Amino acid sequence: MKKKDTHKTEQLLQAARDIIISDGVAAVPTTKVAKMVGIAQSNVYIYFKNKDELLLSVFHHEQARVKAFFDARIDQTADLTTRLKAYIDAMGELAMTEWDTMTILEQIKAMPHTPVAAEDALPSDDQTVQALMQDGIDAGILKPVDPRFHMTVVFGLVRRYSDLVRNHAIQLNLRRFGR
């Protein structure tokens, strides 16, 4: 059995990522990924058990990007209102600057037989953000519903807004996103 090359793993993830962005998640056959990296299709299976495992790895890689993004923008020591505003601003900035990441996460989650388990379907910073939403609920700032509802609403609204800006349907107001 061949040894796994970390650089090759990253290349495979990037190739799958590129295909998702250009052609959609349904267009990610391992043959195309292998060809983009310059290896035989059978060698993809040295790194990933199957296509689902490859897509799940892409998903987790993108989640890590989101977590780092939020960690750099939300001061966990700030008061609750400031953290809630920072979360919404960070989500807006993420949508405008990391559109590809949001697209990848959304497409993999929306697959008919997604490899993403229900508990992994929210961003990897879920515990922090979900706790933030729960704190907002407990303080009476947010409506008392499942915290994931608030997270989904913010994600969906910001995602649609970024799509409109990207498609030039509306003009971006960068001041709103902390710039």
Side-chain angles (χ1 to χ4, degrees):
M1 179 184 241
K2 289 188 176 185
K3 252 185 144 172
K4 289 185 180 180
D5 172 0
T6 305
H7 179 68
K8 193 68 70 185
T9 302
E10 289 301 317
Q11 288 179 307
L12 290 164
L13 292 172
Q14 186 60 48
R17 185 181 193 278
D18 292 346
I19 295 167
I20 294 169
I21 295 304
S22 65
D23 303 324
V25 74
V28 184
T30 55
T31 51
K32 191 171 185 179
V33 172
K35 186 175 182 178
M36 288 178 72
V37 175
I39 63 173
Q41 179 189 8
S42 61
N43 288 348
V44 171
Y45 300 108
I46 293 170
Y47 299 90
F48 303 99
K49 186 170 48 178
N50 53 37
K51 177 182 167 180
D52 281 352
E53 187 175 286
L54 170 62
L55 291 173
L56 189 59
S57 293
V58 170
F59 186 83
H60 288 306
H61 185 267
E62 297 305 311
Q63 280 187 317
R65 291 171 62 114
V66 171
K67 180 170 179 14
F69 192 91
F70 283 132
D71 286 349
R73 287 161 180 80
I74 302 173
D75 177 4
Q76 296 302 324
T77 63
D79 67 88
L80 179 58
T81 304
T82 301
R83 286 184 289 136
L84 286 167
K85 287 179 182 177
Y87 167 70
I88 292 169
D89 284 345
M91 184 59 91
E93 185 181 348
L94 177 74
M96 299 313 302
T97 62
E98 299 290 334
W99 188 86
D100 290 352
T101 291
M102 291 187 75
T103 298
I104 291 166
L105 291 172
E106 187 174 53
Q107 284 199 20
I108 293 174
K109 285 190 298 188
M111 289 173 57
H113 301 287
T114 184
V116 179
E119 62 272 9
D120 292 334
L122 292 169
S124 62
D125 66 337
D126 177 38
Q127 298 303 320
T128 304
V129 174
Q130 196 165 344
L132 175 63
M133 296 298 124
Q134 187 61 56
D135 290 347
I137 292 165
D138 294 344
I141 297 170
L142 299 174
K143 186 174 178 117
V145 295
D146 187 320
R148 294 171 295 186
F149 173 80
H150 292 291
M151 295 165 66
T152 301
V153 168
V154 171
F155 179 91
L157 289 173
V158 169
R159 176 75 169 128
R160 296 295 90 57
Y161 178 82
S162 70
D163 286 345
L164 289 171
V165 170
R166 191 171 170 91
N167 294 325
H168 307 291
I170 61 173
Q171 190 157 6
L172 173 64
N173 179 354
L174 288 175
R175 288 185 317 200
R176 177 66 195 123
F177 298 118
R179 293 196 184 162

